[in-house]
Amino acid sequence: MEEQRETLQRIISTLANKNDEIHNFIDMLNQTIQNVQINSSNAISELVDEFDGLYSILDEMKGSMSSTIQQEQARKIHVLRNQLSQCSSALESSEELLELAAQSLDIKDPVKFSEAARQIKDRVTMASAFRISLKPEVSDSMTHLMVDFTQERHALQSVKFLPVPKAPVIDLAACLVIDNCITVSWRMPEEDSRVDHFVLEYRKTNFDGFARVKDEQSWELIDYIKATEYTLSGLKFDTKYVNVRVRACNKAVAGEYSDPVTLETKAFVFNLDNTSSHLNLKVEDSYVEWEPTGGKGQEKVKGKENKCSGASPKRASVGGKAIVKGSRDRFAGESYTVLGNSAIESGQHYWEVRAQKDCKSYSVGVAYKTLGKYDQLGKTNTSWCIHVNNWLQNTFAAKHNNKTKTLDIPVPDRLGVHCNFDGGQLTFYNAASKVPLYTFRIKFTQPLLPAFMIWCGGLAVSTGLQVPSAVRTLQKSENGLSGSTGSLNNIAQ
């Protein structure tokens, strides 16, 4: 009976998962239908605009060329009319001279006849009729302004839809996820010299199956990529996966997207738990600040200088009516502590911490969930930390079980924390240079929580970070040997 019930439960779970996939696929199909309708309407609109633009160009060319023909017509007519006027004037003068010459033939007086003949001869010599050209100065041909649209007509008749680049293929084996960077590599299915650039899109997701239509983040776009590889850098890995897709573009049109690939972006993500922090701490998701009034007095702006009362952590008072912040009482007394809200139970994890420049005292480390209400980090056998003190005298030390190891090195601007739970190592780094500062070695027996203590200052925590490759390499090369590991490691064991 129980075996059958378990089998039935597995069947029900399988069917439920399959139904969820089908529902999601139906949503995707409906979205695709809607996109087809929208994109088709846009394509028709763009086509009409292109043809209207072509018609406009042809009409403009037609008007311009017609104007040229009309101007040539006017020029030729003007020239021919001038020539016609000159010929008409010459003909009139010649006819008068002809009539005069005919009349001179009737003169009987030899002297007068001789004088008349001489005058007629002189006038004939100077007559315009003998000096004008009897050939038209311009021809009546207009063939030099004829057009032949044979090639253009053939070109228009051969107009087709633009060749769309084919979808690229993402080379999953060549893609790399490391140091909060994602390198994506792809290739074209066949050589295409018309490809001008590529567009890469990515989005974060917590699903490793079909892309969800509902409740998905929007795609982030990287445009004008000339190579077939691109690295997304400086990412915060606050989801389990990242979807990536690529498409090729020529000078005129973008092609189809590649099949999206899903890359795992596993990293340790946590927020500071404001429900269990000390009452004198003002806590946001990734920032904690000490407040002497317990939040009842003036509000502080993150990053601004804290106005401390001057009392050291050992002398600060927490009791009384001045401190009221809900019902928080996880930590009290001198334990100005806040924990992360995600536990570490296995694997390797990394986060970074930056303190305000005027911060007087703070600790960064890990603790078991059993850390006592009044316990300070590093002073019990349930917590391990790096402690920085800038009050009265400057100290930089590793602390565990109320034992201190002074670190004779400069305090970095950012601390990196690497917890190798299974390997039993907790190492602190200069986050900028990845130089190790100190390593605790212990076989952890309970889940760990990131832990922070702050007095007179503020701490900013960066999560969603992968274990840096430099840290992994150093850990392998050291193989448990560290110049900064001493008596505290034995005590930690």
Coordinates of all heavy atoms in Angstrom, one line a residue, residues 26-104:
I26 N 2.0 26.7 -24.0 CA 0.8 27.3 -24.5 C 0.9 28.9 -24.4 O 0.6 29.6 -25.4 CB -0.4 26.8 -23.8 CG1 -0.7 25.4 -24.2 CG2 -1.7 27.7 -24.1 CD1 -1.8 24.7 -23.4
D27 N 1.4 29.4 -23.3 CA 1.6 30.8 -23.1 C 2.6 31.3 -24.1 O 2.4 32.4 -24.7 CB 2.1 31.1 -21.7 CG 1.0 30.9 -20.6 OD1 -0.2 30.9 -21.0 OD2 1.4 30.7 -19.5
M28 N 3.6 30.6 -24.4 CA 4.6 31.0 -25.3 C 4.1 31.0 -26.7 O 4.3 31.9 -27.5 CB 5.9 30.1 -25.2 CG 7.0 30.5 -26.1 SD 8.5 29.5 -25.9 CE 8.0 28.0 -26.5
L29 N 3.2 30.0 -27.1 CA 2.6 29.9 -28.4 C 1.7 31.1 -28.6 O 1.7 31.8 -29.7 CB 1.9 28.6 -28.6 CG 2.7 27.4 -28.8 CD1 1.8 26.1 -28.9 CD2 3.6 27.5 -30.0
N30 N 0.9 31.4 -27.6 CA 0.0 32.6 -27.7 C 0.8 33.9 -27.9 O 0.4 34.7 -28.7 CB -0.9 32.6 -26.5 CG -2.0 31.6 -26.5 OD1 -2.5 31.2 -27.5 ND2 -2.3 31.1 -25.3
Q31 N 1.8 34.0 -27.1 CA 2.7 35.2 -27.3 C 3.3 35.2 -28.6 O 3.4 36.3 -29.2 CB 3.8 35.1 -26.2 CG 4.7 36.4 -26.2 CD 3.9 37.6 -25.7 OE1 3.3 37.6 -24.7 NE2 4.0 38.7 -26.5
T32 N 3.7 34.1 -29.2 CA 4.3 34.0 -30.5 C 3.3 34.5 -31.6 O 3.6 35.2 -32.5 CB 4.8 32.6 -30.8 OG1 5.8 32.3 -29.8 CG2 5.5 32.6 -32.2
I33 N 2.0 34.0 -31.4 CA 1.0 34.4 -32.4 C 0.8 35.9 -32.3 O 0.7 36.5 -33.4 CB -0.4 33.6 -32.0 CG1 -0.2 32.1 -32.4 CG2 -1.5 34.2 -32.8 CD1 -1.4 31.3 -31.9
Q34 N 0.7 36.4 -31.1 CA 0.6 37.9 -31.0 C 1.7 38.6 -31.6 O 1.5 39.6 -32.3 CB 0.4 38.2 -29.5 CG 0.2 39.7 -29.3 CD 0.0 40.0 -27.8 OE1 0.0 39.1 -27.0 NE2 0.0 41.3 -27.5
N35 N 2.9 38.1 -31.4 CA 4.1 38.7 -32.0 C 4.1 38.7 -33.6 O 4.5 39.6 -34.2 CB 5.4 38.1 -31.5 CG 5.6 38.4 -30.0 OD1 5.1 39.3 -29.5 ND2 6.5 37.6 -29.4
V36 N 3.6 37.5 -34.1 CA 3.5 37.4 -35.6 C 2.6 38.4 -36.1 O 2.8 39.1 -37.1 CB 3.0 36.0 -35.9 CG1 2.6 35.9 -37.4 CG2 4.1 34.9 -35.7
Q37 N 1.4 38.6 -35.5 CA 0.5 39.6 -35.9 C 1.1 41.0 -35.9 O 0.9 41.8 -36.8 CB -0.8 39.5 -35.1 CG -1.6 38.2 -35.3 CD -2.7 38.1 -34.2 OE1 -2.7 38.7 -33.2 NE2 -3.7 37.3 -34.6
I38 N 1.7 41.3 -34.8 CA 2.3 42.7 -34.6 C 3.4 42.9 -35.6 O 3.5 43.9 -36.3 CB 2.8 42.9 -33.2 CG1 1.7 42.9 -32.2 CG2 3.6 44.2 -33.1 CD1 2.1 42.9 -30.7
N39 N 4.3 41.9 -35.8 CA 5.4 42.0 -36.7 C 5.0 42.1 -38.1 O 5.6 42.8 -39.0 CB 6.4 40.9 -36.5 CG 7.1 41.0 -35.1 OD1 7.2 42.0 -34.5 ND2 7.6 39.8 -34.6
S40 N 3.9 41.3 -38.5 CA 3.4 41.4 -39.9 C 2.8 42.7 -40.2 O 3.1 43.3 -41.3 CB 2.3 40.3 -40.1 OG 2.8 39.0 -39.9
S41 N 2.1 43.3 -39.2 CA 1.6 44.7 -39.4 C 2.7 45.7 -39.6 O 2.6 46.5 -40.5 CB 0.7 45.0 -38.3 OG 0.2 46.3 -38.4
N42 N 3.7 45.5 -38.8 CA 4.9 46.4 -38.9 C 5.6 46.2 -40.2 O 6.0 47.2 -40.9 CB 5.9 46.2 -37.8 CG 5.3 46.6 -36.4 OD1 4.4 47.4 -36.3 ND2 5.9 46.0 -35.3
A43 N 5.7 45.0 -40.7 CA 6.4 44.7 -42.0 C 5.6 45.4 -43.1 O 6.2 45.9 -44.1 CB 6.5 43.2 -42.2
I44 N 4.3 45.2 -43.1 CA 3.4 45.8 -44.2 C 3.6 47.3 -44.2 O 3.7 48.0 -45.2 CB 2.0 45.4 -44.0 CG1 1.8 43.9 -44.3 CG2 1.1 46.2 -45.0 CD1 0.4 43.3 -44.1
S45 N 3.5 47.9 -43.0 CA 3.7 49.3 -42.9 C 5.0 49.8 -43.4 O 5.1 50.8 -44.1 CB 3.5 49.7 -41.4 OG 3.7 51.1 -41.2
E46 N 6.1 49.1 -43.1 CA 7.4 49.5 -43.6 C 7.5 49.3 -45.1 O 8.1 50.1 -45.8 CB 8.5 48.6 -42.9 CG 8.6 49.0 -41.4 CD 9.7 48.1 -40.7 OE1 10.4 47.3 -41.5 OE2 9.9 48.2 -39.5
L47 N 6.8 48.2 -45.6 CA 6.8 48.0 -47.1 C 6.1 49.2 -47.8 O 6.6 49.7 -48.8 CB 6.1 46.7 -47.4 CG 6.0 46.3 -48.9 CD1 7.4 46.0 -49.4 CD2 5.1 45.1 -49.0
V48 N 4.9 49.6 -47.3 CA 4.2 50.7 -47.9 C 5.1 52.0 -47.8 O 5.1 52.7 -48.8 CB 2.9 50.9 -47.1 CG1 2.2 52.2 -47.6 CG2 1.9 49.8 -47.4
D49 N 5.8 52.2 -46.7 CA 6.6 53.4 -46.6 C 7.7 53.3 -47.6 O 8.1 54.3 -48.2 CB 7.2 53.4 -45.2 CG 6.2 53.8 -44.1 OD1 5.1 54.3 -44.5 OD2 6.5 53.6 -42.9
E50 N 8.3 52.1 -47.8 CA 9.4 52.0 -48.8 C 8.9 52.3 -50.2 O 9.5 53.0 -51.0 CB 10.0 50.6 -48.8 CG 10.9 50.3 -47.5 CD 12.1 51.2 -47.5 OE1 12.6 51.5 -48.6 OE2 12.6 51.5 -46.4
F51 N 7.7 51.7 -50.6 CA 7.2 52.0 -51.9 C 6.8 53.5 -52.1 O 7.0 54.0 -53.1 CB 6.0 51.1 -52.2 CG 6.4 49.8 -52.8 CD1 6.6 48.6 -52.0 CD2 6.6 49.6 -54.2 CE1 7.0 47.4 -52.6 CE2 6.9 48.4 -54.7 CZ 7.1 47.3 -53.9
D52 N 6.2 54.0 -51.0 CA 5.8 55.4 -51.1 C 7.1 56.3 -51.3 O 7.1 57.3 -52.0 CB 5.1 55.9 -49.8 CG 3.7 55.3 -49.7 OD1 3.2 54.9 -50.8 OD2 3.1 55.4 -48.6
G53 N 8.2 55.9 -50.6 CA 9.4 56.6 -50.8 C 9.9 56.5 -52.2 O 10.5 57.4 -52.8
L54 N 9.8 55.3 -52.8 CA 10.2 55.0 -54.2 C 9.3 55.9 -55.2 O 9.9 56.5 -56.1 CB 10.1 53.5 -54.5 CG 10.6 53.1 -55.9 CD1 12.1 53.5 -56.0 CD2 10.4 51.6 -56.1
Y55 N 8.0 55.8 -54.9 CA 7.1 56.7 -55.8 C 7.5 58.1 -55.7 O 7.5 58.8 -56.7 CB 5.7 56.5 -55.3 CG 5.1 55.1 -55.4 CD1 4.1 54.7 -54.6 CD2 5.6 54.2 -56.4 CE1 3.6 53.4 -54.6 CE2 5.1 52.9 -56.5 CZ 4.1 52.5 -55.6 OH 3.6 51.3 -55.7
S56 N 7.8 58.6 -54.5 CA 8.2 60.0 -54.3 C 9.5 60.3 -55.1 O 9.6 61.4 -55.7 CB 8.4 60.3 -52.8 OG 8.8 61.6 -52.6
I57 N 10.5 59.4 -55.0 CA 11.7 59.6 -55.8 C 11.4 59.7 -57.3 O 11.9 60.5 -58.0 CB 12.7 58.5 -55.5 CG1 13.2 58.7 -54.0 CG2 13.9 58.6 -56.4 CD1 14.1 57.6 -53.5
L58 N 10.6 58.7 -57.8 CA 10.3 58.7 -59.2 C 9.5 60.0 -59.7 O 9.8 60.5 -60.7 CB 9.5 57.5 -59.5 CG 10.2 56.1 -59.5 CD1 9.2 55.0 -59.6 CD2 11.3 56.1 -60.5
D59 N 8.6 60.4 -58.8 CA 7.8 61.6 -59.2 C 8.8 62.8 -59.2 O 8.7 63.7 -60.1 CB 6.7 61.9 -58.1 CG 5.5 60.9 -58.3 OD1 5.4 60.4 -59.5 OD2 4.8 60.7 -57.4
E60 N 9.7 62.9 -58.2 CA 10.7 64.0 -58.2 C 11.6 63.9 -59.4 O 11.8 65.0 -60.0 CB 11.5 63.9 -56.9 CG 12.4 65.0 -56.7 CD 13.2 64.9 -55.4 OE1 12.8 64.2 -54.5 OE2 14.2 65.6 -55.3
M61 N 12.0 62.7 -59.8 CA 12.9 62.6 -61.0 C 12.1 63.0 -62.2 O 12.6 63.6 -63.1 CB 13.4 61.2 -61.1 CG 14.5 60.8 -60.0 SD 15.1 59.2 -60.2 CE 15.8 59.3 -61.8
K62 N 10.9 62.5 -62.3 CA 10.0 62.8 -63.5 C 9.8 64.3 -63.6 O 10.0 64.9 -64.7 CB 8.7 62.2 -63.3 CG 7.6 62.5 -64.4 CD 6.3 61.8 -64.0 CE 5.2 62.2 -65.0 NZ 3.9 61.6 -64.7
G63 N 9.6 65.0 -62.5 CA 9.4 66.5 -62.6 C 10.7 67.2 -63.0 O 10.7 68.1 -63.8
S64 N 11.8 66.7 -62.4 CA 13.1 67.3 -62.8 C 13.5 67.1 -64.2 O 13.9 68.1 -64.9 CB 14.2 66.8 -61.8 OG 15.4 67.3 -62.2
M65 N 13.3 65.9 -64.7 CA 13.7 65.6 -66.1 C 12.7 66.3 -67.1 O 13.2 66.7 -68.2 CB 13.7 64.1 -66.3 CG 14.8 63.4 -65.5 SD 14.8 61.6 -65.6 CE 15.7 61.4 -67.2
S66 N 11.5 66.3 -66.8 CA 10.5 67.1 -67.6 C 10.9 68.5 -67.7 O 10.8 69.2 -68.8 CB 9.1 66.9 -67.1 OG 8.7 65.6 -67.1
S67 N 11.3 69.1 -66.6 CA 11.7 70.5 -66.6 C 12.9 70.7 -67.4 O 13.0 71.7 -68.2 CB 12.0 70.9 -65.1 OG 12.5 72.2 -65.1
T68 N 13.8 69.7 -67.4 CA 15.0 69.8 -68.3 C 14.6 69.8 -69.7 O 15.2 70.6 -70.6 CB 16.0 68.7 -68.0 OG1 16.4 68.7 -66.6 CG2 17.2 68.7 -68.9
I69 N 13.7 69.0 -70.1 CA 13.3 68.9 -71.5 C 12.6 70.2 -71.9 O 12.8 70.8 -73.0 CB 12.3 67.7 -71.7 CG1 13.0 66.4 -71.5 CG2 11.6 67.8 -73.1 CD1 12.2 65.2 -71.5
Q70 N 11.8 70.7 -71.0 CA 11.1 72.0 -71.3 C 12.1 73.1 -71.5 O 11.9 74.0 -72.3 CB 10.1 72.3 -70.2 CG 8.9 71.3 -70.2 CD 8.0 71.5 -69.0 OE1 8.3 72.2 -68.1 NE2 6.8 70.8 -69.0
Q71 N 13.1 73.2 -70.7 CA 14.1 74.2 -70.8 C 14.9 74.1 -72.1 O 15.2 75.1 -72.7 CB 15.1 74.1 -69.6 CG 14.5 74.5 -68.3 CD 15.4 74.2 -67.1 OE1 16.6 73.9 -67.3 NE2 14.9 74.4 -65.9
E72 N 15.2 72.8 -72.5 CA 15.8 72.6 -73.8 C 14.9 73.1 -74.9 O 15.4 73.7 -75.9 CB 16.3 71.2 -73.9 CG 17.0 70.8 -75.2 CD 18.4 71.5 -75.3 OE1 18.8 72.2 -74.4 OE2 19.1 71.2 -76.3
Q73 N 13.7 72.8 -74.8 CA 12.7 73.2 -75.8 C 12.7 74.7 -76.0 O 12.8 75.3 -77.1 CB 11.3 72.7 -75.5 CG 10.2 73.2 -76.4 CD 8.8 72.9 -75.8 OE1 8.7 71.8 -75.2 NE2 7.9 73.7 -76.0
A74 N 12.6 75.4 -74.8 CA 12.6 76.8 -74.9 C 13.8 77.4 -75.4 O 13.8 78.4 -76.2 CB 12.3 77.4 -73.4
R75 N 15.0 76.8 -75.1 CA 16.2 77.3 -75.6 C 16.3 77.2 -77.2 O 16.7 78.2 -77.9 CB 17.4 76.6 -75.0 CG 18.8 77.1 -75.4 CD 19.9 76.2 -74.9 NE 19.9 74.9 -75.6 CZ 20.5 74.7 -76.8 NH1 21.1 75.8 -77.4 NH2 20.5 73.6 -77.4
K76 N 15.9 76.0 -77.7 CA 16.0 75.8 -79.1 C 15.0 76.7 -79.9 O 15.4 77.3 -80.9 CB 15.7 74.4 -79.4 CG 16.9 73.4 -79.1 CD 16.7 72.1 -79.7 CE 17.9 71.2 -79.6 NZ 17.8 69.9 -80.3
I77 N 13.8 76.9 -79.4 CA 12.8 77.7 -80.0 C 13.3 79.2 -80.0 O 13.2 79.9 -81.0 CB 11.5 77.6 -79.3 CG1 10.9 76.2 -79.6 CG2 10.5 78.7 -79.7 CD1 9.6 75.9 -78.9
H78 N 13.9 79.6 -78.9 CA 14.5 81.0 -78.8 C 15.5 81.2 -79.9 O 15.5 82.2 -80.6 CB 15.0 81.2 -77.4 CG 15.6 82.6 -77.3 ND1 14.9 83.7 -77.2 CD2 16.9 83.0 -77.2 CE1 15.7 84.8 -77.1 NE2 16.9 84.3 -77.1
V79 N 16.4 80.2 -80.0 CA 17.5 80.3 -81.0 C 16.9 80.3 -82.5 O 17.3 81.2 -83.3 CB 18.5 79.2 -80.9 CG1 19.5 79.1 -82.1 CG2 19.3 79.3 -79.6
L80 N 16.0 79.4 -82.7 CA 15.4 79.4 -84.1 C 14.6 80.6 -84.4 O 14.6 81.1 -85.6 CB 14.5 78.1 -84.2 CG 15.3 76.8 -84.1 CD1 14.4 75.6 -84.1 CD2 16.2 76.6 -85.4
R81 N 13.9 81.1 -83.4 CA 13.1 82.4 -83.7 C 14.0 83.6 -83.9 O 13.7 84.4 -84.8 CB 12.2 82.6 -82.5 CG 10.9 81.7 -82.5 CD 10.0 82.0 -81.3 NE 8.8 81.2 -81.5 CZ 7.9 81.0 -80.5 NH1 8.2 81.5 -79.3 NH2 6.9 80.3 -80.7
N82 N 15.1 83.6 -83.3 CA 16.1 84.7 -83.6 C 16.6 84.5 -85.0 O 16.7 85.5 -85.7 CB 17.3 84.6 -82.6 CG 16.9 85.2 -81.2 OD1 15.9 85.9 -81.1 ND2 17.7 84.9 -80.2
Q83 N 16.9 83.3 -85.4 CA 17.4 83.0 -86.7 C 16.3 83.3 -87.7 O 16.6 83.9 -88.8 CB 17.9 81.6 -86.8 CG 18.7 81.3 -88.1 CD 19.2 79.9 -88.1 OE1 18.9 79.1 -87.3 NE2 20.1 79.7 -89.1
L84 N 15.1 83.0 -87.4 CA 13.9 83.3 -88.3 C 13.8 84.8 -88.5 O 13.5 85.3 -89.6 CB 12.7 82.7 -87.7 CG 11.4 82.9 -88.5 CD1 11.4 82.4 -89.9 CD2 10.2 82.3 -87.8
S85 N 13.9 85.6 -87.4 CA 13.8 87.0 -87.5 C 14.9 87.6 -88.4 O 14.6 88.5 -89.2 CB 13.9 87.6 -86.1 OG 13.8 89.0 -86.1
Q86 N 16.1 87.1 -88.2 CA 17.2 87.6 -89.0 C 16.9 87.3 -90.5 O 17.2 88.1 -91.4 CB 18.5 87.0 -88.6 CG 18.9 87.4 -87.2 CD 20.2 86.7 -86.7 OE1 20.7 85.9 -87.4 NE2 20.5 86.9 -85.4
C87 N 16.5 86.1 -90.8 CA 16.2 85.7 -92.2 C 15.1 86.6 -92.8 O 15.1 86.9 -94.0 CB 15.9 84.2 -92.3 SG 17.3 83.2 -92.0
S88 N 14.1 86.8 -92.0 CA 12.9 87.6 -92.5 C 13.4 89.0 -92.8 O 13.0 89.6 -93.9 CB 11.8 87.6 -91.4 OG 11.3 86.4 -91.2
S89 N 14.2 89.6 -92.0 CA 14.7 91.0 -92.2 C 15.6 91.0 -93.5 O 15.6 91.9 -94.3 CB 15.5 91.4 -91.0 OG 16.1 92.7 -91.2
A90 N 16.5 90.0 -93.6 CA 17.3 89.9 -94.8 C 16.5 89.7 -96.1 O 16.9 90.3 -97.1 CB 18.3 88.7 -94.6
L91 N 15.5 88.9 -96.0 CA 14.6 88.7 -97.2 C 13.9 90.0 -97.6 O 13.8 90.3 -98.8 CB 13.6 87.6 -96.9 CG 12.6 87.3 -98.0 CD1 13.4 86.8 -99.3 CD2 11.6 86.2 -97.5
E92 N 13.4 90.7 -96.6 CA 12.8 92.0 -96.9 C 13.7 93.0 -97.6 O 13.4 93.6 -98.6 CB 12.2 92.6 -95.6 CG 11.4 93.9 -95.8 CD 10.9 94.4 -94.5 OE1 11.0 93.8 -93.5 OE2 10.3 95.6 -94.6
S93 N 14.9 93.0 -97.1 CA 15.9 93.9 -97.6 C 16.3 93.5 -99.1 O 16.5 94.3 -100.0 CB 17.2 94.0 -96.7 OG 18.2 94.8 -97.3
S94 N 16.4 92.2 -99.2 CA 16.8 91.7 -100.5 C 15.7 91.9 -101.6 O 16.0 92.2 -102.8 CB 17.1 90.2 -100.4 OG 17.4 89.6 -101.6
E95 N 14.4 91.8 -101.2 CA 13.3 92.0 -102.1 C 13.3 93.5 -102.5 O 13.0 93.8 -103.7 CB 12.0 91.6 -101.5 CG 11.8 90.1 -101.3 CD 10.6 89.7 -100.6 OE1 10.0 90.6 -100.0 OE2 10.2 88.5 -100.7
E96 N 13.6 94.4 -101.6 CA 13.6 95.8 -102.0 C 14.7 96.1 -103.0 O 14.6 96.8 -103.9 CB 13.8 96.7 -100.7 CG 12.6 96.7 -99.7 CD 12.9 97.5 -98.5 OE1 14.1 98.0 -98.4 OE2 12.1 97.6 -97.6
L97 N 15.9 95.5 -102.7 CA 17.0 95.6 -103.6 C 16.7 95.0 -105.0 O 17.1 95.6 -106.1 CB 18.3 95.0 -103.0 CG 19.6 95.2 -103.7 CD1 19.9 96.7 -103.9 CD2 20.7 94.5 -103.0
L98 N 16.0 93.9 -105.0 CA 15.6 93.3 -106.3 C 14.7 94.2 -107.1 O 14.8 94.4 -108.4 CB 15.0 92.0 -106.1 CG 14.4 91.2 -107.3 CD1 15.6 90.9 -108.2 CD2 13.7 89.9 -106.9
E99 N 13.7 94.8 -106.4 CA 12.8 95.7 -107.1 C 13.5 96.9 -107.6 O 13.3 97.4 -108.8 CB 11.7 96.1 -106.1 CG 10.6 97.0 -106.8 CD 9.5 97.4 -105.8 OE1 9.6 96.9 -104.6 OE2 8.7 98.1 -106.2
L100 N 14.5 97.5 -106.8 CA 15.2 98.6 -107.3 C 16.1 98.3 -108.5 O 16.2 99.1 -109.4 CB 16.1 99.1 -106.1 CG 17.0 100.4 -106.4 CD1 16.1 101.6 -106.8 CD2 17.9 100.7 -105.2
A101 N 16.7 97.1 -108.5 CA 17.5 96.7 -109.6 C 16.7 96.5 -110.9 O 17.1 96.9 -112.0 CB 18.2 95.4 -109.3
A102 N 15.5 96.0 -110.7 CA 14.6 95.9 -111.9 C 14.2 97.2 -112.4 O 14.1 97.4 -113.7 CB 13.4 95.0 -111.5
Q103 N 13.9 98.2 -111.6 CA 13.6 99.5 -112.0 C 14.7 100.2 -112.7 O 14.5 101.0 -113.7 CB 13.1 100.3 -110.8 CG 11.8 99.9 -110.2 CD 11.4 100.6 -109.0 OE1 12.2 101.5 -108.5 NE2 10.2 100.3 -108.4
S104 N 16.0 99.9 -112.3 CA 17.1 100.5 -112.9 C 17.4 100.1 -114.3 O 18.0 100.8 -115.1 CB 18.4 100.2 -112.1 OG 18.3 100.7 -110.7

